[in-house]
Structure formats: C-alpha cells, structure tokens
Amino acid sequence: MTYDFDKIINRRGTLSYKWDSVADGVLPMWVADMDFQTCPAIIEALHKRIDNGCFGYTLVPDEYYDAVVGWFEKRHGWHIDKEKMIYTSGVVPALSAIIKALAAKGDKVIIQTPVYNCFFSSIRNNGCEILPNPLLKKGDTYEMDFDDLERKAADPKAKLLILCNPHNPAGRVWTRDELTQLGEICRKNGVTVISDEIHCEFVFKGYRYTPFASISEECAATSVVCISPSKAFNIAGLQIANIVAPNEDMRTRIDKAINVNEVCDVNPFGVIATIEAYTKGAEWMDQLVEYIHGNYEYMKEYCARHFPAFPIARLEGTYLVWMDCSSLGLTSELLEQQIEDEVKLRLNAGSMYGRDGEGYLRWNLACPRAVLADGLDRFRRYIG
C-alpha cells in the first residue's frame, strides 16, 4: 500500500500545541511533532475503541509487551526481556523518575550539548547539577568529545549520563564504536547511562541505529533505555512510553520512583496505539522515513542554492534540522522572534538546547513538502 504524505491536514482548532499556540498566519516548524496523520491501522483501532464509549482505567495486556519486544527484535535486532520493561506516560516523565531513582540531590548528570531542552529541566527539577560534555563541531556534523568525557566522568559526583540516541538537535546517529567507547568510559567511572532513544525509527540510508543496551551485557547492566512510539507514529498526545532496565536493583528503584512521581498510569488509547503501531506499522514507517529523507534532501539543496551562509548539519537521523545562523550576529532568541514577527515562521531558538546552541535554529521538517517549501521561502524573504 502507498501512503500519501503530501496530504495537508488542517490542525488548527484541534487544540494542537504546535499550531494553536501561534497566531493565525504563522507557520509552525518548531515543536517536534509531525503534520502527518498517524498510521491508518492505529486510527482504525482507536475508532473501534471509541465506539465502546467507556474510557476508564486500563490494563496493559501481554499483547502490548509482545508487540514492543517483537518490533525491536525484528527491526533493530535487540531482544528486550519484557519482565525488564516498565511502562509510563512519556519519555520525559521517565527521565525524571530515573534521575530521582538513581541520583541524590547535589549529584551531577552529564549531558552532551547542544541537546534536547527537557534534559536540563529534568536534572534541575530533581535537585541535581548539569555537567556539560559539549559535542565537537566537525564540518557539517558533530562528534563526541571523549577526552572531555573522561574528565567529566571522573568527577566523583558524576553519577549519570543522559545520552540522546539518535541525537536531537545535532541529527547524529551514533555508531556502535562511539557508543561502545562512551559505555566503557562511563562504566569505568561508575556512571550510569540513561539513553533516550525516542527518535530511533528516523534513521536514513547509510546509517544504523544501535540500541545502547544491545552493545554488550555490561552496557545493558549499567544503563537504562527509554523508548516510545510517540515520535515515530505521531501519537505523543496518547502518552505512552517504556523504560527498559535490565539491572534488577535499578529497575526496582525506578519502579518506585515512577509511582512516587504518579506517572504509573497510562492512557488506554496509548496502549492500543502501541500494539497497532508495532504489529502493523512497519510498511507505513518505512515510507514515512523515506519521505522525510526526501524533505531533508530538498531542504539541503534549497539552502545551498539560496542561503549558503546558513549551513545545516548533516542529518543522519530524526526529522530535526540544525541550522547555523551565527553569521547574522544575533542571539537565537532574537532571531526566532524576528523571523516570527517579520515573515510569520516559527522555529526553535538554538539556545534552548544549551549555550552551545547559541546562534543556531532548529527546523522541524516532518511535514508535507509543500509546507516545507513555504517555510523555506519565508526564511528566504527574512534574510532578504
């Protein structure tokens, strides 16, 4: 079956955070949700559930666990023991609970900046200290700074590292060798790795997603992995995610923190959507990734032709493009505001992702190509 990702969906008036929190006429290409309808199998299953008309508390059946395990084993070669999974309402609540479980107030948590903004708040909200391990800019991409990581991990107060795999906003899909080296440094220094792998389905030809816990038994025993179908299938509003914690002691502590944080109940629609996504969504997902890669190629060519002074990072994975606008000499926040005011285009200021993001903008290209073209044309008008 061929799916139509060029179809434009009117999301205004649906209480969409992405669309209804900006003024009429503003084109939102910021927050990371897609403008595509989800997989038809999910929509069909949810319609059947809605027809029942009762929406009380839900059980999470064995079928749910089987769907998650089957998807990751078949698609990514990673076997997950379902007894080592904990479901929760989202990856961000999961991160917060994991930090609460595995770190004490005043401990340090390493993050590789520029990185997803909620890492910062999850660390601070649990009374911990952020310990940046900035990525190194290398041409049109980024690399890990392992020398700096060695120094940061050796800090006696460094207890956790939050890994973004694939990386938002740098667009990197970390290689097995890179992840192995990171794991060895962290293990040697007693630092537990929390791997946010929510963007794992968006990996383009020539690259391969490696689940951190799949590298070795040692990596599995000293890490916690967070996964969710929410980004891949555009179902973030259904609030569902999973924590994979092979280490029994860590899993017990995390389970307690999940309950302390009151994020142990999940949405019944999220359970159904996960089952459908992971049992019937593979073909849809393959076509979606191909379409988004086409959007990236379109954007790359457009930028090279019309504004080469604003280079974009090579996109290996995710649907988020990282643009260097430092040649303008403006702060990211001022740039974001000017673009919205002058050409009605909403992007994300790079400074949201740490000091290393200053001078950058983040674009969300998970939209029909005509919408992307409109956004690029607006930006071209802004730079004149």
Side-chain angles (χ1 to χ4, degrees):
M1 180 177 179
T2 300
Y3 299 97
D4 182 11
F5 296 105
D6 285 318
K7 180 181 179 182
I8 295 177
I9 310 298
N10 181 11
R11 300 184 63 192
R12 288 199 184 271
T14 65
L15 301 180
S16 163
Y17 180 69
K18 180 179 182 180
W19 284 85
D20 288 330
S21 60
V22 297
D24 286 347
V26 173
L27 179 62
M29 299 185 72
W30 59 304
V31 65
D33 77 11
M34 300 192 291
D35 290 327
F36 308 118
Q37 287 184 331
T38 191
C39 176
I42 294 174
I43 297 172
E44 182 181 352
L46 293 178
H47 274 302
K48 290 179 180 177
R49 179 65 182 83
I50 288 169
D51 286 344
N52 175 263
C54 298
F55 310 116
Y57 302 115
T58 190
L59 293 170
V60 178
D62 287 340
E63 185 183 5
Y64 173 90
Y65 295 96
D66 292 341
V68 176
V69 170
W71 176 273
F72 278 88
E73 186 150 30
K74 183 176 181 180
R75 198 168 182 90
H76 303 300
W78 177 31
H79 176 72
I80 300 173
D81 185 341
K82 64 183 181 182
E83 280 73 33
K84 297 174 182 177
M85 284 173 51
I86 303 170
Y87 59 79
T88 186
S89 57
V91 166
V92 173
L95 292 172
S96 181
I98 294 165
I99 294 168
K100 181 186 291 291
L102 303 183
K105 289 185 177 180
D107 283 345
K108 297 181 180 180
V109 182
I110 302 168
I111 54 174
Q112 297 177 305
T113 54
V115 75
Y116 178 45
N117 53 294
C118 285
F119 288 4
F120 296 87
S121 56
S122 292
I123 294 167
R124 294 191 183 106
N125 290 345
N126 281 285
C128 293
E129 182 180 336
I130 295 165
L131 189 56
N133 167 225
L135 298 176
L136 297 172
K137 185 77 182 294
K138 297 287 186 177
D140 66 348
T141 191
Y142 286 83
E143 296 178 358
M144 294 187 188
D145 187 342
F146 290 111
D147 291 337
D148 182 68
L149 179 58
E150 288 268 14
R151 292 189 292 271
K152 299 292 173 61
D155 186 329
K157 297 196 74 175
K159 302 300 181 183
L160 304 173
L161 178 147
I162 306 181
L163 171 69
C164 200
N165 176 38
H167 193 279
N168 166 22
R172 275 301 313 275
V173 177
W174 304 117
T175 66
R176 178 173 287 271
D177 287 346
E178 287 171 316
L179 295 175
T180 298
Q181 189 171 352
L182 178 144
E184 288 172 352
I185 292 170
C186 289
R187 189 165 61 253
K188 179 176 67 176
N189 289 282
V191 174
T192 298
V193 175
I194 307 169
S195 190
D196 173 0
E197 303 188 356
I198 197 170
H199 290 280
C200 68
E201 305 305 334
F202 298 103
V203 175
F204 305 126
K205 188 175 181 179
Y207 305 98
R208 182 175 178 82
Y209 155 64
T210 303
F212 185 80
S214 73
I215 295 171
S216 65
E217 291 184 6
E218 291 81 9
C219 283
T222 55
S223 69
V224 181
V225 177
C226 300
I227 52 177
S228 172
S230 61
K231 295 295 183 196
F233 291 91
N234 202 21
I235 55 172
L238 302 187
Q239 299 185 317
I240 195 82
N242 296 289
I243 300 167
V244 182
N247 182 291
E248 184 177 359
D249 176 63
M250 287 196 289
R251 190 168 64 254
T252 299
R253 291 156 65 187
I254 292 166
D255 188 55
K256 179 179 179 180
I258 288 286
N259 283 272
V260 168
N261 281 10
E262 303 289 1
V263 288
C264 50
D265 289 324
V266 290
N267 188 316
F269 298 127
V271 174
I272 293 167
T274 299
I275 294 169
E276 295 299 313
Y278 286 157
T279 56
K280 300 176 184 175
E283 184 180 6
W284 183 88
M285 192 74 239
D286 290 341
Q287 292 183 35
L288 171 65
V289 171
E290 183 178 355
Y291 187 90
I292 288 176
H293 185 256
N295 273 359
Y296 164 63
E297 292 293 337
Y298 178 90
M299 182 174 181
K300 183 170 67 170
E301 181 182 347
Y302 189 106
C303 292
R305 186 168 66 252
H306 295 296
F307 29 86
F310 303 91
I312 60 175
R314 184 171 72 228
L315 194 65
E316 301 174 356
T318 81
Y319 52 72
L320 303 164
V321 171
W322 191 235
M323 176 181 278
D324 184 352
C325 299
S326 56
S327 61
L328 289 173
L330 302 175
T331 67
S332 292
E333 288 189 2
L334 179 58
L335 183 58
E336 176 193 86
Q337 191 60 57
Q338 283 188 359
I339 291 169
E340 184 167 353
D341 290 344
E342 295 181 21
V343 296
K344 308 302 181 186
L345 173 65
R346 178 69 176 273
L347 303 172
N348 280 123
S351 53
M352 284 182 63
Y353 310 102
R355 287 184 297 178
D356 306 284
E358 188 57 80
Y360 286 76
L361 292 170
R362 193 189 76 166
W363 292 68
N364 174 355
L365 47 69
C367 58
R369 198 150 304 152
V371 176
L372 173 60
D374 183 11
L376 289 167
D377 288 344
R378 292 181 191 218
F379 187 78
R380 186 182 176 189
R381 292 201 301 274
Y382 167 75
I383 62 172

